Amino acid sequence: MAIEACADLRGFFQGMVLEAMRRRRVGAEAETTEYVTDLLVACAGTDGAALLDRPLVWMLDDAMACEDGVRMHALCATGDAALARSGLFAAPDDVGYLTEVGKFAYRGAAAEAQRTGGGSPVALVELGEKFPEFVEVLAEASALGDVTKALVRRYAAQGVDQPKRCLSSSMYVSTASRDGRS
């Protein structure tokens, strides 16, 4: 399998997300597709480390204790962490817990946005309603591009046993699924 630097991560991940949604027959608004794509891009960059940095229960507890105006963003971050962990890294036994936290966080963020007069963000509502489907989309997208395998290889090469330590590095992806070569 050939590994190469990916110059357009957003384009790469968007293609993977759209293909995974097609294969899984998951319908979503464009805003939600963009949100999930942006989450994968964040996982590949320096923002990704924050998604794996703390236990979800602490993130959720902190989010619920936040003041108005900050709570929505903290709940979004908790939902994002749950989605990234469950779709990219979770053991099957952990997916149920991560799904419950993710649904709760996204639904809470959408309600908080509605309560503070910002309307209900389409992506947050849809992710709260269809969280399990988007876990499968992320897992499928990851498999399509060998994204998780590339991350794990990268972590192993650097002697890192926890993904969060390497997410701030540049991302490399397999080109095997795009052009059929190994």
Side-chain angles (χ1 to χ4, degrees):
M1 172 185 333
I3 302 291
E4 70 179 42
C6 185
D8 180 16
L9 283 178
R10 187 163 207 307
F12 174 79
F13 285 129
Q14 186 172 40
M16 295 295 111
V17 167
L18 291 172
E19 178 62 17
M21 288 175 67
R22 185 190 66 75
R23 287 181 180 208
R24 293 274 172 191
R25 294 186 175 109
V26 174
E29 296 293 327
E31 293 92 336
T32 308
T33 303
E34 295 295 320
Y35 191 98
V36 172
T37 298
D38 290 342
L39 177 60
L40 286 172
V41 172
C43 286
T46 57
D47 295 338
L51 297 172
L52 301 172
D53 194 36
R54 299 178 59 222
L56 279 180
V57 70
W58 292 354
M59 290 178 72
L60 184 58
D61 186 54
D62 288 349
M64 297 306 293
C66 285
E67 295 180 14
D68 292 347
V70 179
R71 187 176 303 120
M72 185 196 77
H73 297 288
L75 286 167
C76 283
T78 304
D80 292 350
L83 185 56
R85 292 175 193 193
S86 59
L88 298 174
F89 300 111
D93 293 345
D94 295 332
V95 173
Y97 160 72
L98 295 168
T99 296
E100 290 306 312
V101 171
K103 287 190 313 189
F104 180 85
Y106 282 133
R107 288 175 178 166
E112 190 69 19
Q114 181 71 34
R115 190 181 68 72
T116 59
S120 244
V122 172
L124 299 179
V125 170
E126 203 159 31
L127 287 168
E129 293 172 356
K130 297 181 177 181
F131 193 91
E133 290 90 339
F134 280 101
V135 168
E136 294 298 323
V137 165
L138 254 62
E140 178 93 9
S142 176
L144 285 170
D146 284 333
V147 173
T148 303
K149 288 179 186 176
L151 282 172
V152 170
R153 274 194 305 273
R154 184 161 177 78
Y155 306 147
Q158 294 184 11
V160 175
D161 61 347
Q162 294 180 9
K164 69 177 186 172
R165 294 186 187 152
C166 282
L167 283 174
S168 61
S169 302
S170 61
M171 173 74 164
Y172 290 83
V173 294
S174 167
T175 58
S177 64
R178 288 187 296 183
D179 60 15
R181 293 180 290 146
S182 299

